[in-house]
């Protein structure tokens, strides 16, 4: 770029690369190096105060008809910057934000008197959207699957806009986000008090309304953090992301093993100790033996889930081409989930979800037998057999609906007389069995498709009895040694 801050550009391109020449086109200059009067258009650039995190930036506008127009607009921008003294870095930064916003929107620069009045009143300078305006536009253009979009829409409508919507986006602070979660907690307390009220009219007024749980609060923060990260990338939000600095208490339930004493209590009164229950090794064996006889079409999938821990959608979406039994491995890179009740095929939920899963000898033998059974179904169906490309299919060759797999599982758990668990809890059983077998936590994390070992450790370490027993034995041994030494 030339040293001068008013110059010419054009739309000519290099023949070799097709890239625009910009202000390097030889037609822009006369032989005496003066600017050509009949080629190109005028432009200017102006150094602006740095961003809040110290990054350098410039104001640039091109497409102006004359040199005078370029000089007038450049001088106008200089006058706007001069409204704030050099020591007032915040105001100078705000003016620079307003200038850049006008150029990005291809609008005239702000009027000097208007900016002067706003500086005196300490009000917002640039036409930055409010949080509500930004989130609404962000959701419209954000490229996510239907399930995620539905979750974001609910969070934005129910929580973010009511609490934060009127705040200008670049004025959003950590205190605002914390105040939102404080208000949510207060509303929860009011709901619980109303539900416990002796007044039936008060109880009726909150019928059907539920408190906002810890997991929902985590999702609220995650949605806001993602939206604000995108705003930072678009330079609409200077500096830090307020949502990233707010901590939310996690209330993720720990898995509880169906020990004999808990099973006896459940048989007496039907009480389930917690929302996430895990079978013992013997209970897993008992269920799979029952399913092999009474549900042979789904037994291989459930065995795969109980031994290797894929998610329901990953098992339903396992591709035939990604099952290599001769090498004792499968590749998970596809899943079938549901949007409402509609099946949706898509990649795994995260980058870590794309993974190789090694198989043990028992699982390989069961899957080999399943392939033979599936071939028998295909021969019986003849030309009507569909080419789904999936490994686990129904007897007619069509894909399993994930909800049907869950319903069949629940029914056979009851018929087998076993204590209840969710289908997803087979995944927990796989992790627990591996931990108790002494498998390294990193290997288990990769097997399950977790992005870090933190989730694996926090969720499953509590049910690893061997580690706890070793700790108890170590304490007892230390005390015995001290007693003998005394």
């Amino acid at each position: 770029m030339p040293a001068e801050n008013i110059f010419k550009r054009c739309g000519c391109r290099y023949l070799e690369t097709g890239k625009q020449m910009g202000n390097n086109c030889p037609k822009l200059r006369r032989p005496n190096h003066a600017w050509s009067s009949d080629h190109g258009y005028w432009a200017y650039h102006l150094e602006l105060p740095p961003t809040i995190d110290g990054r350098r930036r410039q104001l640039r506008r091109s497409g102006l008809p004359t040199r005078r127009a370029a000089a007038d607009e450049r001088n106008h921008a200089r006058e706007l910057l001069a409204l704030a003294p050099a020591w007032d870095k915040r105001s100078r930064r705000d003016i620079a934000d307003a200038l850049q916003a006008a150029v990005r929107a291809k609008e005239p620069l702000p009027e000097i008197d208007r900016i002067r009045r706003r500086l005196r009143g300490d009000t917002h300078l640039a036409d930055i959207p409010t949080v509500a305006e930004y989130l609404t536009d962000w959701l419209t253009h954000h490229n996510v699957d239907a399930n995620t979009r539905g979750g974001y829409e609910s969070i934005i409508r129910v929580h973010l806009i009511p609490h934060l919507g009127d705040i200008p986006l670049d004025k959003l602070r950590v205190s605002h986000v914390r105040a939102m979660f404080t208000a949510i907690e207060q509303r929860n307390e009011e709901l619980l008090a109303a539900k416990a009220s002796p007044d039936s009219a008060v109880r009726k007024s909150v019928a059907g309304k539920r408190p906002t749980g810890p997991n929902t609060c985590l999702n609220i923060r995650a949605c806001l953090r993602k939206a604000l990260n995108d705003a930072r990338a678009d330079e609409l939000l200077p500096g830090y992301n307020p949502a990233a600095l707010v901590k939310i208490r996690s209330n993720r339930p720990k898995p509880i093993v169906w020990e004999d004493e808990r099973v006896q209590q459940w048989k007496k009164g039907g009480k389930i100790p917690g929302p996430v229950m895990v079978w013992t090794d013997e209970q897993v064996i008992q269920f799979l033996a029952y399913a092999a006889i009474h549900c042979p079409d789904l037994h291989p999938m459930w065995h795969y889930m109980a031994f290797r821990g894929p998610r329901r959608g990953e098992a339903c979406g396992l591709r035939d081409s990604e099952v290599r039994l001769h090498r004792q491995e499968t590749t998970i890179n596809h899943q079938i989930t549901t949007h409402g009740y509609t099946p949706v095929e898509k990649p795994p939920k995260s980058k870590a979800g794309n993974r190789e899963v090694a198989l043990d000898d028992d699982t390989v033998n069961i899957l080999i037998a399943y392939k033979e059974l599936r071939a028998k179904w295909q021969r019986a169906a003849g030309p009507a057999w569909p080419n789904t490309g999936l490994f686990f299919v129904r007897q007619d060759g069509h894909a399993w609906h994930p909800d049907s797999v869950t319903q069949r599982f629940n029914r056979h758990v009851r018929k087998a007389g076993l204590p209840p668990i969710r289908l997803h809890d087979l995944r927990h059983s796989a992790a627990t069995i591996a931990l108790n077998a002494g498998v390294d936590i990193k290997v288990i994390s990769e097997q399950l498709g977790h992005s870090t070992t933190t989730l694996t450790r926090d969720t499953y370490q509590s049910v690893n009895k061997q580690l706890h027993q070793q700790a108890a034995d170590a304490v007892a041994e230390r005390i015995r040694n001290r007693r003998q030494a005394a």
Side-chain angles (χ1 to χ4, degrees):
M1 182 176 289
E4 57 193 297
N5 55 29
I6 296 178
F7 53 93
K8 273 199 155 187
R9 297 177 65 88
C10 68
C12 297
R13 297 178 180 273
Y14 293 105
L15 293 176
E16 299 84 0
T17 64
K19 293 183 178 180
Q20 284 197 349
M21 295 182 180
N23 55 356
N24 293 320
C25 176
K27 296 180 183 179
L28 289 175
R29 296 279 188 175
R30 298 175 184 172
N32 63 357
H33 299 294
W35 292 109
S36 170
S37 60
D38 57 2
H39 188 76
Y41 44 83
W42 289 96
Y44 71 90
H45 73 92
L46 179 66
E47 193 76 16
L48 293 176
T51 62
I52 195 170
D53 52 0
R55 288 180 296 150
R56 181 185 174 190
R57 55 178 167 171
Q58 290 183 332
L59 183 70
R60 305 184 185 199
R61 174 100 79 175
S62 58
L64 298 164
T66 64
R67 181 185 181 89
R68 170 51 55 192
D72 287 347
E73 183 164 314
R74 177 206 59 186
N75 294 338
H76 184 89
R78 284 176 171 172
E79 290 181 53
L80 286 169
L81 290 170
L83 292 175
W87 55 264
D88 190 353
K89 294 183 179 180
R90 193 197 76 169
S91 294
R92 287 178 60 80
R93 217 167 30 236
D94 286 349
I95 293 173
D97 292 342
L99 291 171
Q100 285 192 314
V103 170
R104 280 197 297 265
K106 299 182 180 180
E107 295 175 351
L109 299 184
E111 297 176 0
I112 292 176
D113 286 342
R114 181 168 73 92
I115 295 297
R116 183 183 288 115
R117 287 194 300 271
R118 292 195 174 194
L119 283 174
R120 288 173 180 169
D122 196 26
T123 56
H124 190 60
L125 300 183
D127 294 326
I128 299 294
T130 63
V131 172
E133 291 168 342
Y134 174 74
L135 290 176
T136 301
D137 181 71
W138 174 78
L139 185 63
T140 301
H141 298 95
H142 193 46
N143 185 24
V144 291
D145 61 70
N147 273 353
T148 303
R149 181 178 300 280
Y152 282 169
E153 188 279 330
S154 176
I155 287 170
I156 290 170
R157 172 175 49 83
V158 176
H159 299 286
L160 296 180
I161 288 181
H163 290 284
L164 307 174
D166 293 336
I167 303 171
L169 182 63
D170 67 334
K171 301 300 182 185
L172 185 65
R173 299 292 182 263
V174 172
S175 59
H176 297 131
V177 182
R178 285 178 178 155
M180 173 182 66
F181 286 113
T182 299
I184 290 173
E185 289 181 5
Q186 292 173 348
R187 176 57 177 161
N188 285 345
E189 293 174 0
E190 293 169 1
L191 275 175
L192 293 174
K195 287 180 178 291
S197 172
D199 189 333
S200 60
V202 174
R203 295 196 304 271
K204 187 176 180 181
S205 68
V206 294
K209 297 180 180 179
R210 295 184 301 174
T212 302
N215 288 340
T216 301
C217 288
L218 288 172
N219 292 336
I220 293 170
R221 186 189 62 172
C223 174
L224 181 61
R225 183 174 56 199
K226 171 59 179 168
L228 296 183
N229 278 339
D230 290 348
R232 290 188 68 204
D234 293 337
E235 297 186 350
L236 292 175
L237 182 69
Y240 62 92
N241 182 335
L245 300 180
V246 175
K247 293 184 178 180
I248 304 295
R249 292 192 301 270
S250 175
N251 195 27
R252 187 183 298 274
K254 299 289 186 181
I256 300 174
V257 178
W258 273 116
E259 301 285 3
D260 290 341
E261 294 79 5
R262 295 178 181 132
V263 174
Q264 294 305 318
Q265 288 295 319
W266 165 71
K267 287 182 177 180
K268 289 179 181 179
K271 183 179 179 181
I272 301 175
V276 179
M277 300 302 299
V278 179
W279 279 336
T280 62
D281 298 3
E282 293 75 16
Q283 290 160 347
V284 171
I285 294 169
Q286 183 181 343
F287 173 75
L288 292 178
Y290 178 90
I293 298 171
H294 296 91
C295 193
D297 51 349
L298 275 173
H299 164 257
M301 182 192 291
W302 293 336
H303 177 101
Y304 179 55
M305 295 176 70
F307 273 56
R308 306 311 297 146
R311 300 173 178 90
R312 179 185 73 170
E314 294 168 345
C316 290
L318 183 65
R319 290 189 171 110
D320 209 14
S321 59
E322 301 301 338
V323 177
R324 295 172 291 280
L325 298 180
H326 63 289
R327 292 168 57 180
Q328 295 191 249
E329 65 181 19
T330 59
T331 299
I332 293 177
N333 54 20
H334 180 251
Q335 63 174 335
I336 300 177
T337 61
T338 56
H339 178 49
Y341 187 73
T342 304
V344 177
E345 298 190 36
K346 62 180 185 179
K349 62 184 297 185
S350 66
K351 184 178 179 181
N354 290 278
R355 61 197 188 276
E356 304 289 333
V357 177
L359 304 178
D360 57 280
D361 291 339
D362 287 348
T363 302
V364 169
N365 291 333
I366 287 200
L367 297 186
I368 288 174
Y370 170 72
K371 287 188 70 173
E372 295 172 355
L373 179 62
R374 192 183 65 181
K376 187 183 299 183
W377 295 341
Q378 183 173 0
R379 287 194 297 271
W385 184 267
N387 183 22
T388 64
L390 299 173
F391 185 76
F392 294 115
V393 293
R394 296 173 357 207
Q395 293 188 33
D396 61 5
H398 289 281
W400 279 105
H401 191 293
D403 288 355
S404 296
V405 176
T406 297
Q407 291 164 7
R408 294 272 296 274
F409 176 80
N410 293 338
R411 184 161 65 247
H412 285 286
V413 169
R414 289 194 300 271
K415 289 183 176 180
L418 287 162
I421 66 169
R422 304 169 303 164
L423 176 60
H424 186 75
D425 294 335
L426 282 183
R427 176 173 165 84
H428 297 314
S429 294
T432 304
I433 293 170
L435 271 173
N436 288 331
V439 179
D440 185 82
I441 193 76
K442 175 65 173 175
V443 176
I444 297 173
S445 180
E446 292 175 355
Q447 169 192 322
L448 297 177
H450 289 163
S451 56
T452 67
T453 59
T454 302
L455 175 60
T456 317
R457 183 177 292 106
D458 290 349
T459 304
Y460 299 112
Q461 201 84 336
S462 63
V463 296
N464 187 346
K465 290 196 166 185
Q466 290 184 358
L467 290 179
H468 292 285
Q469 188 61 53
Q470 289 170 8
D473 292 343
V475 171
E477 180 67 20
R478 179 177 177 83
I479 296 298
R480 280 195 298 269
N481 292 337
R482 288 298 179 94
R483 284 173 179 166
Q484 293 172 1

